[in-house]
Amino acid sequence: MPAVPGASQEEIRRQNLGAVLRYVHLHGPTSRAELTSRLGLNRSTIGALAADLVASGLVTEEAPTTARRAGRPSLVVSPRSDRVYAHALSIDADRLRAARIGLGGRILDLREVARPGGMTAVDAVGPLADLVRDMERSVAADALLVGGAVAVTDTTCEADGRIRIAGVDETLGVALEAEFAVGPGFVAGDLADIAGLAEHVRGVAAGIDDLIYLHGDLGISAGIIVDGRLVIGHRGHSGKVGHMVVNPNGLPCGCGSRGCWETEIGEAALLRHAGRDPGDRAAVAEVLRAAADGDRTAREAVEQVADWLGFGVANLVNVVNPDAVVFGGSLRDIFIAGADTVRSRLGAMPLPGSREHLRLEAAALGRDAVLIGAAELAFDKLLADPLNVGVAGQLSADDQA
Ligand SMILES: [Zn+2]
């Protein structure tokens, strides 16, 4: 690991501690020998860093269960997933979820409740805090909470029926602060951004630094990662690709505009083309199943939506020039059902330099992506400086009562 010019010995040590911890967090149990070669540090340095992380209660070190060679085997460094954890919350279109996720990305506990129609993201914070308090009752006394993050779905219907971009709203920050005042900090982010981050770190796009993650639920939103970093925009409102106008003669959109992309590729569009109630989300799976079984109306509905999907993605790849586009949420199933149509658009429309290397992928992490991504955000501070998070603090006694 190259040292920052002018960094002190102590700064370099902290940087290296972070590198070791991040490696085992992402790759799981790793031998000292492998850490030595992967991180480009010498054996004695890795040994000292691992010992420090053991002393901090962040990792364990054990002899491997099966030694492959004669001689002293290299100790295996493992993240303490059972002890070190983050709170990962998600405000989905129709449910609220809270998880405790251990270092290494392991889901230790998961609770969820329905999100009633019309409930704003801010109103959801109270019920989420209840789920968190409930989970905390079964946490061991020596467990270490390092922080939390909440993912908020793109679209929230307010009382006037208008769609608001709920993203990273100030009022949401205030509500989180009020509920988790004594605990470690909470980060809020857009659901598509966070699910995209999860696919980038642990999912189908692991190792790909330029990608577009497209998420479908009630609306359509994108998490865009360029050069390994999420594109956030002013107050986290970037990636609202569902409101990119693709059809000026199209239908009115909940945002107040007309012919937005999500009016052509959203769940409601699929249901409308299939002759179903556009508000009946449960019927999306039925339409996709009917299409797979050869039902002509359902098949045509899928083709129509897939064509618009390819059309919009072609525009996006011309703008962003990613290495991969990942389809998640309900768009995952729509992409799989209409992949040939999407691919034929992508094979023809974008500029050659934007399409020749492009991979189209179905998301790999399923509905857990959002929680796993939220935990990654929450672990960030620990991984940047492992020694500085030992006193992150727990929920206050009052909160746990
Ligand atoms: Zn719109």
Short mmCIF file of all heavy atoms in Angstrom, two decimals, residues 242-244 253-258 260 262-263, ligand 1:
data_model
loop_
_atom_site.label_atom_id
_atom_site.label_comp_id
_atom_site.label_asym_id
_atom_site.label_seq_id
_atom_site.Cartn_x
_atom_site.Cartn_y
_atom_site.Cartn_z
N GLY A 242 -35.93 7.37 -13.84
CA GLY A 242 -37.34 7.07 -14.13
C GLY A 242 -38.08 8.29 -14.65
O GLY A 242 -39.12 8.15 -15.31
N HIS A 243 -37.54 9.47 -14.37
CA HIS A 243 -38.22 10.71 -14.81
C HIS A 243 -37.52 11.37 -16.00
O HIS A 243 -37.77 12.53 -16.32
CB HIS A 243 -38.37 11.66 -13.62
CG HIS A 243 -39.17 11.02 -12.54
ND1 HIS A 243 -40.52 10.86 -12.62
CD2 HIS A 243 -38.77 10.41 -11.40
CE1 HIS A 243 -40.96 10.20 -11.55
NE2 HIS A 243 -39.91 9.92 -10.80
N MET A 244 -36.69 10.58 -16.67
CA MET A 244 -36.11 11.01 -17.95
C MET A 244 -37.25 10.90 -18.98
O MET A 244 -37.88 9.84 -19.11
CB MET A 244 -34.98 10.02 -18.21
CG MET A 244 -34.29 10.01 -19.49
SD MET A 244 -32.83 8.88 -19.31
CE MET A 244 -33.58 7.28 -19.57
N CYS A 253 -47.09 11.50 -15.68
CA CYS A 253 -46.33 10.80 -14.64
C CYS A 253 -46.68 11.41 -13.29
O CYS A 253 -47.08 12.58 -13.21
CB CYS A 253 -44.84 10.95 -14.92
SG CYS A 253 -43.76 10.23 -13.67
N GLY A 254 -46.49 10.65 -12.22
CA GLY A 254 -46.77 11.15 -10.87
C GLY A 254 -45.95 12.35 -10.50
O GLY A 254 -46.29 13.10 -9.58
N CYS A 255 -44.83 12.59 -11.21
CA CYS A 255 -43.96 13.72 -10.89
C CYS A 255 -44.51 15.03 -11.45
O CYS A 255 -43.99 16.10 -11.17
CB CYS A 255 -42.56 13.48 -11.41
SG CYS A 255 -42.41 13.63 -13.20
N GLY A 256 -45.56 14.94 -12.29
CA GLY A 256 -46.13 16.15 -12.88
C GLY A 256 -45.75 16.31 -14.34
O GLY A 256 -46.35 17.12 -15.05
N SER A 257 -44.78 15.54 -14.80
CA SER A 257 -44.36 15.61 -16.20
C SER A 257 -45.15 14.58 -17.02
O SER A 257 -46.12 13.98 -16.53
CB SER A 257 -42.86 15.37 -16.29
OG SER A 257 -42.41 15.54 -17.60
N ARG A 258 -44.74 14.38 -18.26
CA ARG A 258 -45.46 13.45 -19.15
C ARG A 258 -44.44 12.60 -19.92
O ARG A 258 -43.42 13.11 -20.36
CB ARG A 258 -46.30 14.28 -20.13
CG ARG A 258 -47.08 13.47 -21.15
CD ARG A 258 -47.93 14.35 -22.03
NE ARG A 258 -49.11 14.88 -21.35
CZ ARG A 258 -50.27 14.20 -21.24
NH1 ARG A 258 -50.39 13.00 -21.74
NH2 ARG A 258 -51.30 14.74 -20.61
N CYS A 260 -42.52 10.17 -18.89
CA CYS A 260 -41.29 9.76 -18.21
C CYS A 260 -41.03 8.29 -18.47
O CYS A 260 -41.96 7.51 -18.70
CB CYS A 260 -41.40 9.99 -16.70
SG CYS A 260 -41.51 11.71 -16.23
N GLU A 262 -40.43 5.87 -16.55
CA GLU A 262 -41.12 4.90 -15.70
C GLU A 262 -42.58 4.70 -16.10
O GLU A 262 -43.18 3.69 -15.75
CB GLU A 262 -40.95 5.19 -14.21
CG GLU A 262 -41.68 6.39 -13.65
CD GLU A 262 -41.38 6.54 -12.14
OE1 GLU A 262 -40.21 6.39 -11.74
OE2 GLU A 262 -42.32 6.80 -11.40
N THR A 263 -43.15 5.64 -16.87
CA THR A 263 -44.51 5.39 -17.37
C THR A 263 -44.49 4.33 -18.48
O THR A 263 -45.52 3.77 -18.83
CB THR A 263 -45.19 6.67 -17.92
OG1 THR A 263 -44.50 7.11 -19.11
CG2 THR A 263 -45.19 7.79 -16.90
ZN ZN B 1 -41.93 11.59 -13.94
#
